[in-house]
């Protein structure tokens, strides 16, 4: 058997073989578009062979730089999410506050078809860019300069045969401007009507042709800023005004008996946690519910009970207090340079360089504690509480939300370098080559603020009298001290390791802002720093051509492309030393280092069978194949076949069928186990039994009985604390495989000039999908299968019997990681309408409609499990219909764009819960309202060199649905923007 180096030599021979073919005119490289003149082909995403966009067998959605500018946002992802296929992408909202994963603040990641960011391949001029997320190939869209974009092409499904792994759901290709000459400057600013959520952009681009046009050099700088926006800046989301859906105290359903006609969940305001306080809830009888609170020891008001962990009114901490950022602060600077010099038609040297630096900041939740044991000799215990203390308990328990310590935040700096060098040229009149090398590097510094050093905290809260009328830490007078927190659910017992006896400063937990002095807080708090480095090397070569002059079909010459590629990806993550040891409030993180490389060979062919014949204005087929050999998983194959038939000029029928693959990424393979904390609503709790499959009730009965629960049908886990668990990689993963087919029609009726209608059905099925299931879902999947003998039950640890910390049956730990277990399928219809009406007197009118009908979005979490319907659910951002309509008008120097964004209603809860529990919520709340938002923009050319533009987004100030922060529209509200552009024909002035 050949080794991997032998395979490389074989791949290197592919371009050499192509030299033996006849030499005639050939198509351009996929990274370079031809002029869109009459009859000239342009390159579209998904092929290395030139063809007009509407002649391509794959459905491609194209947006231009003007579309982006007219949108009014300086955040590319915000605009791209108006394309239905990208609606589920992770924008700034998804990666702000506590919604952001560790180290993810400020990221903007594209997600095609709701199949995951890891399955969406992002390219720049047909080439890869290094990722911005450790262990992945996920590209941060913040690193792509807006003003260098010529257009963005979005291709559905089956791109692995053309571009390699990660394109299971499709490709988003950013095409940059070429041969730029002159000077452009653009400034833009925008604010919401509340005066916040500001965005600012400055972009400068300068380019110059030289050597009689044989060479060009251009450089661009772009600076963008996006302001942080807190949830507390919107009255309807703040304080006692905030509405959420909570279990109905009047509901009579118990033990899995449902359909009593009373809604299980109802909207409530002024909801609070029933066992904690910002001032410190004090529990004297150790039943988990505070009896007093604060520095004065005031009686704790339990308010009205709201199952399972809440109260309405009373002394508890408002749930809304934990609300944090709607948007992060983002600052980005990008410097780009492109150059080429044509020594001859046979040798054209080109190069690109880019440096991008983004800094993102967002605050999330504060630290919090449950069931802290404060010994009876602690001098800070309020005098009013002491008479009620039970000596046998040895003190009191304190539950506290530490807002006065400061909210935890992430301040993340990402630096990305990308360089491209290559050569292209004509081998002959019909044969061309392109050889390039791409280097990428990302360095990420994740700075976490207001973190707590656990061992110091435990020492500081164990205060005693110093014997001189003052207060000190017990550890200062007793060097044998160890932490005394046997009832602490959130962290394990940790011996002091970060300080010496005598260093400790006592801390008062009774009362908000009661610490006494800042030094005590500073001593227990720390900022931690994690560091990530990713590198990427890509060497690729391709020869493209056709058989003109040697062999031609009635439809023309056969086009082809052949080539090879080598890629190496490397990622390392180094956790802060304190965090790695589990000495902070945040998760204990494991360092991760891994790499893989892949050798690939690919080929593509386009066969034009017939042309300009009766019932065959055009008939052609095409195909592609890619062989890949990974150091991590071995070899894979991907292929695609497609065709298009235009019986007449006005109608084209097109379709494709493909097999795509995705190899597991570095994180999925090599991540070390890291600690994580999650809140889990136990699916075996009496309030949740009815929400599962038909197996849940019996499985929970069996499971809980085996653990010593006396009455499983009335079991409830009343803890409101989070649960510690672990997550890590899996080196035994294999590749995912997707089968994708598309079928569509293109209508260009000759009797209605300038009208184009496209409609394409897509169907994507992924097998052996790599899935890391969140702990909540793991717990549900365990008991929702036909048997408890499944791998999800193996990942959940429950308390067996009583141990004084957790009750029998309580979930006490979990282990999650990626597995090749899921099957995913999505299907739907994409449609577009473009129509332009020029008039002599009234200007030019235009209409563009881009829409999607989602027919199916399902998953099977493990082989043999019941199918889960994920379509039309708000949590998945998967509406049944989404339509973006642009109505345009232009006359002379003035143009106007009115964009209408529609999204149909979506279910508030998952479909399985809605089906099995019809009275989950009142009918009027079953679905979140639809989105019908209106954006209006204008531009005006003041001469040939200067343009002003502006507009209003969310013109009618639509708000999120009740109980939501961002669906169907963000809470930013009505938004105004204004900008100006200067364009000079050369660096020394002069009009374009």
């Amino acid at each position: 058997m050949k080794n991997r180096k032998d395979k490389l030599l074989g791949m290197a021979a592919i371009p050499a073989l192509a030299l033996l073919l006849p030499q005639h005119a050939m198509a351009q490289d996929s990274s370079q578009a031809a002029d869109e003149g009459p009859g000239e082909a342009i390159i579209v995403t998904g092929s290395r062979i030139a063809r007009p966009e509407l002649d391509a067998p794959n459905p491609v959605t194209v947006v231009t730089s003007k579309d982006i500018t007219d949108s009014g946002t300086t955040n590319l992802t915000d605009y791209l999410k108006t394309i239905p296929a990208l609606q589920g992408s992770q924008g700034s909202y998804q990666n702000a506050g506590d919604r952001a994963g560790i180290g993810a603040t400020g990221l903007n990641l594209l997600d095609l078809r709701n199949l995951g960011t890891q399955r969406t391949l992002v390219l720049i001029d047909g080439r890869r860019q290094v990722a911005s997320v450790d262990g992945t190939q996920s590209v941060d869209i913040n690193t792509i300069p807006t003003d260098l974009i010529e257009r963005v092409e979005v291709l559905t499904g089956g791109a692995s045969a053309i571009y390699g792994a990660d394109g299971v759901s499709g490709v988003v290709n950013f095409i940059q401007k070429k041969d730029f000459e002159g000077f452009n400057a653009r400034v833009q600013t925008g604010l919401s009507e509340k005066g916040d959520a500001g965005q600012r952009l400055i972009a400068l681009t300068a380019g110059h042709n030289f050597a009689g046009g044989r060479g060009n050099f251009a450089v661009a700088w772009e600076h963008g800023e996006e302001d942080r926006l807190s949830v507390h800046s919107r009255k309807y989301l703040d304080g006692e005004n905030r509405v959420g859906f909570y279990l109905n105290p009047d509901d009579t359903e118990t033990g899995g008996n449902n359909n009593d006609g009373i809604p299980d969940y109802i909207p409530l305001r002024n909801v609070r946690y029933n066992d904690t306080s910002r001032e410190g809830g004090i529990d004297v009888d150790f039943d988990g519910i505070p009896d007093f609170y604060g520095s004065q020891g005031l009686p704790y008001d339990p308010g009205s009970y709201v199952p399972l962990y809440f109260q309405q009114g009373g002394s508890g901490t408002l749930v809304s207090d934990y609300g944090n950022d709607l948007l992060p602060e983002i600052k980005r600077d990008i410097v780009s340079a492109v150059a080429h010099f044509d020594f001859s038609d046979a040798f054209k040297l080109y190069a690109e360089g880019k440096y991008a630096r983004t800094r993102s900041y967002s605050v999330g939740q504060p630290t919090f504690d449950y069931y802290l044991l404060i010994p009876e000799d602690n001098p800070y215990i309020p005098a009013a509480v002491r008479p009620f203390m039970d000596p046998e308990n040895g003190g009191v328990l304190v539950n506290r939300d530490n807002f006065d310590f400061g909210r935890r935040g992430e301040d993340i700096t990402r630096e990305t370098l990308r360089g491209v060098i290559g050569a292209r040229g004509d081998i002959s009149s019909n044969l061309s080559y392109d050889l390039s090398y791409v280097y990428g590097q990302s360095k990420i510094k994740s700075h976490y603020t207001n973190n707590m050093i656990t061992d110091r905290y435990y020492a500081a809260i164990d205060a005693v009298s110093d014997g001189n009328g003052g207060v000190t830490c017990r550890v200062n007078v007793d060097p044998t001290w160890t932490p005394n927190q046997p009832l602490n659910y959130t962290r394990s017992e940790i011996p002091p390791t970060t300080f010496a006896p005598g260093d400790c400063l006592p801390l008062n937990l009774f009362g908000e802002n009661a610490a006494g002095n800042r030094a005590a807080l500073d001593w227990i708090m720390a900022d931690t720093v994690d560091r990530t480095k990713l590198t990427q090397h890509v060497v690729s070569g391709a020869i493209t051509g056709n058989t003109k002059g040697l062999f031609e079909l009635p439809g023309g010459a056969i086009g082809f492309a052949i080539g090879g590629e080598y890629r190496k990806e490397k990622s390392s993550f180094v956790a802060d030393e304190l965090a790695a040891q589990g000495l902070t409030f945040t998760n204990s993180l494991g360092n991760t280092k891994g790499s893989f490389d892949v050798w690939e060979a690919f080929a593509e062919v386009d066969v034009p069978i017939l042309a300009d014949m009766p019932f065959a204005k055009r008939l052609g087929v095409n195909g592609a194949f890619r062989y890949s050999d990974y150091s991590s998983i071995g070899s894979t194959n991907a292929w695609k076949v497609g065709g298009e038939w235009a019986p007449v000029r006005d109608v084209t029928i097109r379709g494709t069928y493909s097999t795509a693959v995705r190899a597991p990424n570095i994180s999925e393979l090599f991540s070390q186990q890291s600690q994580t904390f999650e809140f889990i609503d136990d699916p075996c709790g009496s309030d949740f039994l009815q929400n599962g499959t038909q197996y849940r009730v019996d499985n929970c009965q069996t499971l809980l009985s085996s653990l010593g629960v006396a009455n499983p049908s009335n079991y409830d886990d009343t803890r409101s604390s989070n649960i510690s668990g672990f997550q890590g990689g899996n080196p035994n993963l294999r590749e995912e495989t997707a089968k994708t087919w598309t079928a569509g029609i293109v209508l260009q009726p000759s009797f209605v000039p300038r009208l184009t209608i496209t409609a394409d059905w897509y169907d994507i099925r992924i097998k052996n999908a790599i899935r890391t299931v969140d702990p909540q879902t793991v717990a549900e999947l365990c008991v929702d299968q036909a048997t408890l003998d499944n791998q999800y039950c193996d990942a959940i640890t429950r308390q067996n019997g009583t141990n004084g910390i957790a009750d029998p049956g309580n979930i006490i730990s979990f282990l999650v990681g990626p597995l090749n277990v899921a099957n995913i399928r999505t299907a739907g219809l994409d449609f577009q309408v473009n129509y332009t009406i020029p008039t002599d007197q009234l200007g030019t009118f235009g209409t563009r409609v881009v829409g999607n009908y989602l027919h199916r979005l399902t998953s099977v979490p493990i082989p043999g499990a019941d199918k889960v319907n994920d379509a039309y659910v708000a949590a998945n951002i998967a509406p049944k219909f989404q339509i973006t309509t642009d109505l345009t008008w232009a006359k002379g120097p003035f143009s106007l764009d009115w964009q209408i964004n529609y999204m149909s209603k979506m279910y508030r809860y998952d479909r399985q819960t809605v089906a099995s529990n019809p009275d989950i919520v009142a009918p009027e709340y079953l679905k979140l309202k639809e989105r019908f938002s209106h954006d209006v923009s204008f531009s005006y050319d003041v001469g040939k060199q200067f343009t002003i533009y502006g507009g209003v987004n969310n013109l009618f100030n639509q708000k999120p649905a009740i109980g939501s922060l961002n669906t169907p529209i963000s809470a930013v509200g009505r938004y105004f923007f204004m900008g100006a552009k200067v364009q000079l024909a050369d660096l020394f002035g002069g009009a374009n």
Side-chain angles (χ1 to χ4, degrees):
M1 180 179 290
K2 291 184 179 181
N3 62 28
R4 300 177 74 242
K5 290 186 178 179
D6 293 332
K7 293 175 183 177
L8 174 62
L9 294 176
M11 289 164 53
I14 293 175
L17 292 174
L19 297 177
L20 303 178
L21 295 172
Q23 302 178 358
H24 292 280
M26 90 130 273
Q28 299 178 36
D29 176 276
S30 63
S31 66
Q32 189 174 32
D35 293 335
E36 299 181 34
E40 296 186 19
I42 65 168
I43 297 293
V44 295
T45 298
S47 176
R48 297 174 186 270
I49 302 171
R51 57 169 62 89
E53 174 190 337
L54 294 175
D55 291 352
N58 296 82
V60 180
T61 300
V62 180
V63 297
T64 67
S65 58
K66 186 178 187 306
D67 297 328
I68 297 169
T69 301
D70 290 346
S71 72
T73 179
T74 63
N75 183 302
L76 270 174
T77 306
D78 285 350
Y79 172 71
L80 292 175
K81 288 178 71 173
T82 64
I83 299 173
L86 291 169
Q87 175 61 40
S89 299
Q90 293 184 21
S92 296
Y93 168 82
Q94 284 77 19
N95 286 316
D98 62 346
R99 293 178 302 281
I102 294 176
T105 291
L107 285 172
N108 277 235
L109 309 174
L110 298 182
D111 183 351
L112 262 170
R113 304 294 180 198
N114 287 288
L115 296 177
T117 61
Q118 73 275 27
R119 298 184 181 95
T120 302
L121 180 57
V122 174
L123 303 173
I124 299 175
D125 293 329
R127 298 184 179 89
R128 290 179 179 260
Q129 175 174 300
V130 67
S132 302
V133 182
D134 62 281
T136 75
Q137 275 85 60
S138 297
V139 174
D140 184 8
I141 305 305
N142 286 317
T143 64
I144 298 176
T146 306
D147 268 30
L148 280 186
I149 294 174
E150 179 179 282
R151 67 185 187 275
V152 183
E153 299 174 349
V154 182
L155 168 74
T156 293
S160 289
I162 306 297
Y163 293 111
D166 310 318
V168 173
S169 61
V171 167
V172 182
N173 194 7
F174 292 83
I175 309 299
Q176 299 186 110
K177 297 173 181 177
K178 308 293 190 300
D179 286 319
F180 183 86
E181 185 172 28
F183 174 77
N184 282 4
R186 181 164 76 100
V187 295
Q188 181 176 316
T189 186
L191 283 173
S192 79
E193 69 170 18
K194 302 290 186 181
D196 52 23
Q199 292 185 349
R200 293 163 295 280
L201 177 74
I202 302 174
L204 305 175
T205 307
H208 183 62
N209 288 328
F210 58 93
R214 293 162 55 201
N216 177 268
F217 176 81
V219 63
W221 168 71
E222 185 168 302
H223 173 78
E225 296 182 358
E226 299 174 40
D227 291 343
R228 189 177 137 241
L229 181 66
S230 170
V231 69
H232 302 291
S233 65
R234 298 295 180 263
K235 278 188 177 182
Y236 62 94
L237 298 176
D238 190 31
E240 297 180 2
N241 296 319
R242 175 132 173 216
V243 176
F245 281 79
Y246 299 89
L247 285 169
N248 186 354
D250 298 323
D251 189 16
T252 61
E253 294 177 5
T254 58
N257 299 316
N258 56 7
N259 287 335
D260 59 2
I262 301 174
D264 295 358
Y265 287 85
I266 58 174
L268 295 174
R269 287 185 171 85
N270 190 20
V271 175
R272 303 164 181 264
Y273 294 103
N274 68 352
D275 56 0
T276 185
S277 168
R278 294 172 63 123
E279 300 183 55
I282 307 167
D283 179 10
V284 298
D285 50 17
F286 283 42
D287 64 355
I289 300 298
D291 304 289
F292 304 92
Y293 74 99
S295 59
Q296 303 300 313
L298 300 174
Y300 185 91
D301 180 359
S304 300
Y305 176 66
V306 178
L308 285 169
Y309 329 112
F310 306 102
Q311 63 186 60
Q312 192 172 27
S315 305
T317 301
L318 278 164
V319 173
S320 62
D321 284 355
Y322 270 89
N324 39 74
D325 283 353
L326 291 168
L327 297 172
E329 177 184 342
I330 300 177
K331 294 182 179 179
R332 59 189 181 95
D333 286 278
I334 307 173
V335 178
S336 303
V338 295
H340 74 84
F341 189 80
D342 301 345
F343 291 91
S344 67
D345 289 343
F347 183 64
K348 302 175 182 179
L349 192 65
Y350 61 88
E352 300 175 23
K354 179 173 72 174
Y355 170 75
R357 184 181 190 273
T358 65
R359 185 172 182 180
S360 306
Y361 175 71
S362 184
V363 298
Q365 298 179 350
T367 60
F368 50 87
D369 283 287
Y370 292 88
Y371 318 114
L372 288 173
L373 177 61
I374 305 300
E376 58 189 352
D377 59 350
N378 188 304
Y380 293 131
I381 296 176
V385 173
R386 291 190 178 276
F388 299 93
M389 293 167 52
D390 186 343
E392 292 186 5
N393 291 333
V396 299
L397 296 180
V398 172
N399 298 346
R400 196 175 195 277
D401 301 297
N402 303 319
F403 285 92
D404 51 349
F405 292 7
R407 290 177 180 266
R408 290 172 291 157
E410 286 191 352
D411 187 349
I412 301 181
T413 300
R414 301 180 177 93
E415 295 181 290
T416 301
L417 288 171
R418 182 176 186 263
V420 179
I421 187 167
R424 64 165 63 95
D426 296 335
I427 299 171
S428 66
S429 58
N430 76 327
L431 204 62
S432 295
Y433 71 93
D434 192 331
L435 180 65
S436 66
Y437 166 65
V438 179
Y439 172 77
Q441 174 186 284
S442 290
K443 287 186 175 180
I444 305 166
K445 179 181 178 182
S446 302
H447 181 198
Y448 304 100
T449 59
N450 283 330
N451 214 335
M452 180 190 289
I453 307 175
T454 310
D455 67 306
R456 294 191 179 196
Y457 179 62
Y458 286 164
I461 64 175
D462 192 3
V464 296
S465 170
D466 65 0
N468 298 312
V471 181
T472 189
C473 304
R474 193 184 304 274
V475 69
N476 291 339
V477 296
D478 180 6
T480 65
W481 174 90
T482 57
N484 59 340
Q485 303 302 327
L487 297 182
N488 189 340
Y489 289 120
T490 57
R491 285 177 287 285
S492 58
E493 297 181 10
I494 302 174
T497 56
T498 67
F499 66 96
D503 293 342
C504 180
L505 299 175
L507 186 66
N508 182 4
L509 295 183
F510 300 94
E512 194 165 14
N513 299 308
N517 61 74
R518 184 67 213 181
L521 285 179
D522 291 342
W523 189 73
I524 67 166
M525 305 299 284
D527 291 351
T528 58
V529 177
D530 299 336
R531 298 181 186 275
T532 298
K533 182 178 180 181
L534 302 97
T535 56
Q536 180 186 73
H537 302 268
V538 185
V539 179
S540 61
I543 290 179
T544 52
N546 59 55
T547 61
K548 187 175 182 180
L550 176 68
F551 175 76
E552 295 185 44
L553 295 170
I558 297 174
F560 62 86
I562 55 176
E565 185 170 284
Y566 171 77
R567 176 165 58 97
K568 183 169 185 178
E569 305 276 356
K570 184 177 181 181
S571 177
S572 67
F573 170 80
V574 179
D576 184 273
E577 185 176 351
L578 287 173
Q581 298 177 72
L583 291 172
T584 63
F585 183 89
T586 54
N587 309 346
S588 173
L589 303 175
N591 296 333
T592 298
K593 185 176 183 180
S595 65
F596 71 85
D597 62 1
V598 55
W599 303 88
E600 300 183 286
F602 56 83
E604 185 180 358
V605 64
D606 180 46
V607 182
I609 300 172
L610 300 173
D612 297 321
M613 299 179 68
F615 302 104
K617 178 66 176 178
R618 185 176 70 258
L619 175 65
V621 296
N622 54 80
F625 179 81
R626 178 177 287 252
Y627 171 82
S628 305
D629 184 22
Y630 288 86
S631 62
S632 54
I633 61 167
S635 62
T636 66
N637 297 314
W639 54 269
K640 182 182 80 168
V641 294
E644 61 279 342
W645 173 45
V648 295
R649 173 209 172 277
D650 299 18
V651 180
T652 300
I653 299 170
R654 60 187 182 184
T656 63
Y657 185 86
S658 63
T659 294
V661 295
R662 183 181 80 88
N665 60 42
I666 293 171
S667 178
E668 291 166 335
L669 288 167
F670 305 122
S671 288
Q672 294 183 6
Q673 283 194 8
S674 297
Q675 186 182 28
T676 183
F677 295 93
E678 295 289 343
F679 289 96
I680 299 177
D681 290 329
D682 196 326
C684 288
S686 62
D687 289 296
F688 305 106
L689 272 177
Q690 69 273 17
N691 294 341
T693 65
Q694 67 269 32
Y695 309 115
R696 183 179 290 190
V697 174
D698 290 341
N699 279 340
C700 286
Q701 175 82 28
T702 301
L703 178 62
L704 296 176
S705 295
S706 70
L707 298 172
V709 178
N711 188 357
S713 63
N714 289 324
Y715 165 81
D716 278 313
D717 183 353
T718 58
R719 298 171 298 168
S720 62
S721 57
N722 53 15
I723 299 168
S724 174
F726 294 89
Q727 62 183 12
N730 179 0
N732 298 316
L733 292 173
R734 298 294 303 166
E735 72 274 10
E736 302 176 344
T737 302
K739 302 290 187 183
T740 299
W741 64 268
T742 65
I745 187 169
V746 180
L747 302 177
Q748 297 173 289
S750 55
F751 54 88
V752 186
R754 297 170 299 281
L755 172 64
T756 301
I757 302 172
T758 67
D760 292 275
W761 188 269
Y762 61 89
D763 190 300
I764 304 173
R765 306 185 190 200
I766 304 174
K767 293 184 178 181
N768 296 319
I770 300 169
R771 185 178 189 187
T772 300
V773 186
D774 64 89
Q776 176 70 53
T777 305
V778 170
E780 294 169 356
L781 288 172
C782 165
V783 294
D784 281 342
Q785 310 306 318
T787 173
L788 290 171
D789 185 15
N790 64 69
Q791 56 192 310
Y792 292 106
C793 284
D794 294 338
I796 295 291
T797 302
R798 289 179 178 269
Q799 178 60 39
N800 190 350
T802 303
N803 69 351
I805 296 178
D807 293 329
N810 286 174
I811 297 173
I812 56 175
S813 187
F814 56 83
L815 175 64
V816 295
L819 298 167
N820 285 105
V821 292
N823 289 339
I824 305 170
R825 185 179 180 187
T826 187
L829 179 71
D830 284 332
F831 53 92
Q832 297 186 48
V833 178
N834 289 276
Y835 186 37
T836 303
I837 306 174
T839 68
D840 294 333
Q841 302 296 326
L842 300 178
T844 300
F845 297 86
T847 300
R848 180 178 60 184
V849 178
V850 179
N852 172 260
Y853 158 67
L854 179 62
H855 178 68
R856 184 196 311 269
L857 181 61
T858 60
S859 62
V860 179
I862 60 173
D866 288 348
K867 185 182 297 182
V868 178
N869 189 349
D870 298 315
Y872 320 149
V873 177
N876 303 324
I877 319 178
K880 187 173 185 177
F881 292 101
Q882 184 182 353
I883 303 172
T884 298
T885 302
D886 284 274
L887 304 176
T888 62
W889 173 71
K891 188 176 188 304
F894 187 78
S895 65
L896 186 67
D897 187 331
W898 175 18
Q899 185 176 95
I900 305 168
N901 296 296
Y902 171 77
M903 178 193 294
S904 58
K905 295 180 179 181
M906 292 180 286
Y907 287 100
R908 188 176 298 274
Y909 300 97
D910 66 88
R911 301 284 294 278
Q912 180 176 279
T913 296
V914 171
S916 62
N917 191 8
D919 62 4
I920 183 73
V921 73
E924 63 267 28
Y925 300 123
L926 184 61
K927 293 183 178 182
L928 275 68
K929 66 180 182 181
E930 73 274 12
R931 179 180 70 194
F932 241 128
S933 64
H934 301 258
D935 304 334
V936 178
S937 63
F938 76 92
S939 68
Y940 184 76
D941 296 332
V942 184
K944 295 182 178 181
Q945 299 177 341
F946 185 64
T947 300
I948 58 172
Y949 63 95
V952 184
N953 291 342
N954 193 2
L955 180 65
F956 299 112
N957 201 28
Q958 187 180 13
K959 292 181 172 60
I962 183 173
S964 175
L965 297 177
N966 200 58
T967 306
I969 198 168
S970 78
V972 170
R974 189 180 290 116
Y975 183 85
F976 302 88
F977 67 95
M978 181 67 71
K981 293 185 288 185
V982 175
Q983 298 174 295
L984 302 178
D986 58 62
L987 296 177
F988 306 101
N992 273 333

